[in-house]
Amino acid sequence: MCEENPSRPKRLRRSSALRVPQVRWAGLATGLFVLGALTSLAGGPSWLSWLLYLVCYAAGGWEPALAGLKALRHKTLDVDLLMIAAAIGAAAIGQVFDGALLIVIFATSGALEAVATQRTEDSVRGLLDVAPETATRVTSSGAEEIVDAAILDVGDLLMIRPGERIGGDGIVVDGASEVDQAHITGEPLPADKARGDEVFAGTVNGTGSLRVRVSRPAAETVIARMVAMVAEASASKARTQLFIEKVEQRYSVGMVVATVALLVVPLLLGADLRSALLRAMTFMIVASPCALVLSTMPPLLAVIANAGRHGVLVKSAVVLEKLATVTHVAFDKTGTLTHGTPRLKQIRSFDGARSEAELLSLAASAEHPSEHPLGRAIVAAAQLAGLPVRQATEFVATPGRGVRARVGADVVDVGAAPAAVDDSGDTAVEVRVNGIAAGVLTLADHARVEAADAVARLRALTGTEPVLLTGDNQRAAASLACGIGIVDVRSGLLPADKVTAVRGLQGDGGRVLLVGDGINDAPAMAAAHVAVAMGRSGSDLALETADAVITRDDLATLPTVLALARRARRVVAANLVIAASFIVVLVAWDLFGHLPLPLGVAGHEGSTILVGLNGLRLLRDRAWTAS
Ligand code: ADP
Ligand code: MG
């Protein structure tokens, strides 16, 4: 099959800054400015250089002017509009070169900002491109039909041919292939898939062919959830933007008042119009908060984009600011520090009245509706053994404890065993039938390989001991914690206890980052200063409650994001100092000395560009690898 990978050419195009219209207009304005300057240097006719400068005004200024006028209609004052007004004022008193210079640098800094925003949005929105559109469904008669991927439901059988994009989340029932999952999990190498393995919608099949049984409805696939979160991210970003615009708004109005005063007062005192106008205009330019406005968002957005590329979805800039101030880290165990794919190790029937197979079949039937990793493991074990998994009714889950359901005539409880049944450090769940303990299932899960290193780096970063908060028994918790270097272990916690633990840590001014995946973690996530969910094992509720999601399912990204968030905060602080210093010095110079207009323009716009570029540094891959 010669179908090309559709994401490749798009990505190439994406990297070109020229795609951003602001960049093209800024380039044109710069070209015209240079031509104008050369013309006057070469002693060309002054009407020609004037013409070139004025076209430069139009090329660099029309867009911000239009946006500024639109804003004015909604009774908001745009700093951009003030810049344009200053440039026109400059031309009016014959300083067309200075005005054009202002326009050129102004357009350039605008273009820089646009590129930064574009890059950020692209990084996150790249996810949308990989959402599958159609799938090949195999009907019960064995025929194949092409259907809209959005209508796929649990139980549908899909045929995946070589090179095809997989249409839904599901389990391989036949065939073998390697699948490129980079978009979903960030794994650079294709993963081998065979019977029993899980595949994800939006990933790309390699050279083999697969039959996949859909395991999640289209709206709940991992990719669909990510897309929903992207939408959420842009909404919350807008709120931050709104706040900044509000501050900018007041400042701008004050600035206009000051400018008018600076013009009128000297005139009343008998100064000449030209010099009063020049000073007022210079003031308006150097006092305008362009650099201040550009101090905050670009570094934060750059880190959000960088993190997105490396498998961490940070939902908003506010979240990033919070991540930078974290003092304590608390982890959930199952699915967070462990893979969350436990395997059934042992079945013990208590009274011998039921065979182990019967016990497992009963437990699996009760667990079938459960989203919990333990529940899924029990169902998988029963299915693998070919045991019947019956339809349960009256299903109730108690997060952090277990499930209860009616299976046939029996009420079956599956949940935390009252005491540790052995000292292996495994998780034990008890099966009760009609209130009587019938047996115990033992399940073992593995710690993630990168967990120990991530814990050590987080300890070094925060200077506090990471904490383990788990609903599992003390022995299982201690055995895992010991292996990865956590000493503060709190076990047997119900969801509400996790909240209490988080509040306790926050009691004396601590700011807790909670990392979790389960429904049982959601209340504690909401109580924490900031919460991160594991993308792959994460329940919908956890993904929704969390402020950031580790889509790549790699704990090592956590300390990196924390370090980068701190770095972004330092860059923001440095930017604010740079921007404020320039404003103070240039304003003082203009008010108390004589600041030439071109110097004012260069200083003001120079600081804007400096600040913009400073933020963009965090977009580079090196910023990630060095953190
Ligand atoms: P963690 O906090 O480590 O993620 P949970 O709070 O989800 O763990 O679960 C705590 C304990 O409650 C588990 O170790 C298990 O004994 C029991 N439990 C919770 N949900 C289930 C379930 N669906 N089936 C069986 N046991 C469960
Ligand atoms: Mg968990």
Side-chain angles (χ1 to χ4, degrees):
M1 208 180 216
C2 51
E3 186 195 273
E4 57 176 2
N5 181 346
S7 67
R8 285 285 146 67
K10 261 186 210 156
R11 192 168 307 159
L12 275 184
R13 194 152 49 85
R14 199 173 276 149
S15 65
S16 162
L18 277 179
R19 195 165 55 92
V20 181
Q22 283 95 326
V23 173
R24 295 200 297 265
W25 288 114
L28 183 61
T30 311
L32 288 161
F33 175 76
V34 171
L35 280 182
L38 287 178
T39 306
S40 59
L41 270 181
S46 74
W47 66 263
L48 183 57
S49 52
W50 264 84
L51 183 68
L52 287 166
Y53 286 141
L54 289 182
V55 184
C56 159
Y57 267 54
W62 74 270
E63 212 179 12
L66 204 67
L69 287 175
K70 267 191 199 145
L72 211 56
R73 270 217 307 236
H74 295 107
K75 296 208 168 55
T76 54
L77 185 59
D78 204 0
V79 190
D80 293 3
L81 199 58
L82 299 183
M83 290 295 101
I84 307 284
I88 292 174
I93 53 172
Q95 310 261 44
V96 72
F97 172 85
D98 304 336
L101 178 66
L102 176 62
I103 291 281
V104 164
I105 314 185
F106 171 71
T108 307
S109 67
L112 260 177
E113 192 183 350
V115 169
T117 314
Q118 188 75 42
R119 286 271 156 83
T120 313
E121 285 176 358
D122 282 350
S123 292
V124 187
R125 210 163 286 154
L127 286 170
L128 301 181
D129 296 341
V130 307
E133 277 166 13
T134 57
T136 309
R137 185 163 66 182
V138 183
T139 62
S140 47
S141 63
E144 289 181 10
E145 52 182 5
I146 307 282
V147 297
D148 191 343
I151 65 158
L152 290 180
D153 208 347
V154 177
D156 283 350
L157 186 63
L158 302 182
M159 176 72 203
I160 319 280
R161 297 209 155 74
E164 270 183 4
R165 204 173 274 288
I166 295 175
D169 285 11
I171 307 290
V172 177
V173 290
D174 195 22
S177 187
E178 71 288 354
V179 173
D180 177 357
Q181 316 198 113
H183 283 298
I184 305 278
T185 64
E187 297 161 63
L189 293 177
D192 287 328
K193 299 287 177 183
R195 200 184 136 81
D197 289 333
E198 188 175 19
V199 293
F200 302 99
T203 56
V204 179
N205 185 23
T207 52
S209 134
L210 299 169
R211 272 170 187 263
V212 169
R213 178 81 62 193
V214 173
S215 61
R216 288 197 194 100
E220 287 167 25
T221 60
V222 173
I223 185 75
R225 290 189 301 194
M226 285 194 203
V227 168
M229 279 184 297
V230 171
E232 206 177 301
S234 9
S236 58
K237 195 168 73 191
R239 237 188 295 141
T240 316
Q241 206 62 40
L242 223 59
F243 172 73
I244 288 184
E245 275 163 24
K246 218 159 94 188
V247 176
E248 181 190 348
Q249 191 55 34
R250 299 220 178 105
Y251 184 101
S252 310
V253 172
M255 216 180 72
V256 169
V257 172
T259 305
V260 171
L262 216 54
L263 179 64
V264 173
V265 175
L267 280 183
L268 291 179
L269 296 178
D272 75 297
L273 177 68
R274 203 187 129 83
S275 71
L277 200 61
L278 204 56
R279 180 179 295 240
M281 221 153 51
T282 311
F283 170 83
M284 187 157 93
I285 292 167
V286 298
S288 77
C290 302
L292 279 174
V293 170
L294 212 57
S295 290
T296 317
M297 290 312 280
L300 298 180
L301 292 181
V303 169
I304 291 179
N306 208 334
R309 281 209 308 274
H310 291 93
V312 184
L313 205 68
V314 177
K315 286 190 185 170
S316 74
V318 180
V319 169
L320 199 72
E321 287 169 321
K322 284 185 177 176
L323 283 170
T325 60
V326 162
T327 59
H328 293 73
V329 182
F331 286 102
D332 160 60
K333 182 175 79 77
T334 318
T336 302
L337 288 173
T338 71
H339 286 286
T341 47
R343 307 247 155 181
L344 183 68
K345 269 179 68 182
Q346 209 188 35
I347 311 170
R348 243 184 326 141
S349 178
F350 282 160
D351 49 8
R354 279 182 190 79
S355 71
E356 287 165 3
E358 275 174 331
L359 200 64
L360 178 58
S361 169
L362 265 183
S365 305
E367 290 278 16
H368 192 250
S370 168
E371 92 306 334
H372 199 278
L374 291 175
R376 287 209 299 259
I378 292 169
V379 174
Q383 282 169 340
L384 201 66
L387 298 173
V389 177
R390 278 175 284 163
Q391 184 87 40
T393 54
E394 299 168 33
F395 173 85
V396 192
T398 313
R401 275 290 170 260
V403 300
R404 162 177 291 185
R406 180 179 289 280
V407 182
D410 297 319
V411 174
V412 181
D413 288 278
V414 190
V421 276
D422 60 15
D423 36 278
S424 63
D426 293 333
T427 298
V429 298
E430 190 178 53
V431 184
R432 298 174 81 83
V433 182
N434 299 320
I436 298 161
V440 166
L441 310 178
T442 329
L443 298 109
D445 199 357
H446 295 288
R448 295 176 190 270
V449 277
E450 74 280 9
D453 183 47
V455 164
R457 281 170 64 203
L458 286 169
R459 178 187 296 115
L461 259 177
T462 58
T464 57
E465 277 300 330
V467 185
L468 176 60
L469 306 176
T470 177
D472 206 346
N473 69 60
Q474 193 266 333
R475 219 182 282 272
S479 136
L480 176 103
C482 173
I484 57 176
I486 293 187
V487 291
D488 191 344
V489 181
R490 314 188 188 178
S491 55
L493 303 183
L494 286 178
D497 303 327
K498 291 196 180 194
V499 174
T500 313
V502 166
R503 294 245 162 86
L505 289 170
Q506 298 196 136
D508 19 270
R511 284 178 296 274
V512 175
L513 161 64
L514 186 89
V515 195
D517 71 318
I519 290 178
N520 62 318
D521 301 318
M525 282 183 161
H529 177 62
V530 55
V532 174
M534 304 303 291
R536 201 133 35 118
S537 50
S539 63
D540 286 351
L541 186 63
L543 294 188
E544 235 165 70
T545 314
D547 302 301
V549 178
I550 301 183
T551 55
R552 187 171 170 169
D553 226 39
D554 178 359
L555 276 178
T557 55
L558 198 61
T560 308
V561 166
L562 238 56
L564 255 191
R566 289 176 178 214
R567 188 155 163 217
R569 216 161 73 111
R570 288 196 299 272
V571 171
V572 169
N575 277 350
L576 289 173
V577 170
I578 295 173
S581 315
F582 267 86
I583 291 178
V584 169
V585 169
L586 292 177
V587 165
W589 190 346
D590 181 50
L591 291 184
F592 306 114
H594 173 72
L595 174 64
L597 183 60
L599 203 61
V601 168
H604 170 259
E605 295 293 343
S607 69
T608 310
I609 290 180
L610 191 71
V611 157
L613 286 179
N614 198 24
L616 280 191
R617 284 189 307 140
L618 297 176
L619 205 55
R620 295 177 308 175
D621 268 334
R622 260 191 44 211
W624 178 268
T625 44
S627 293

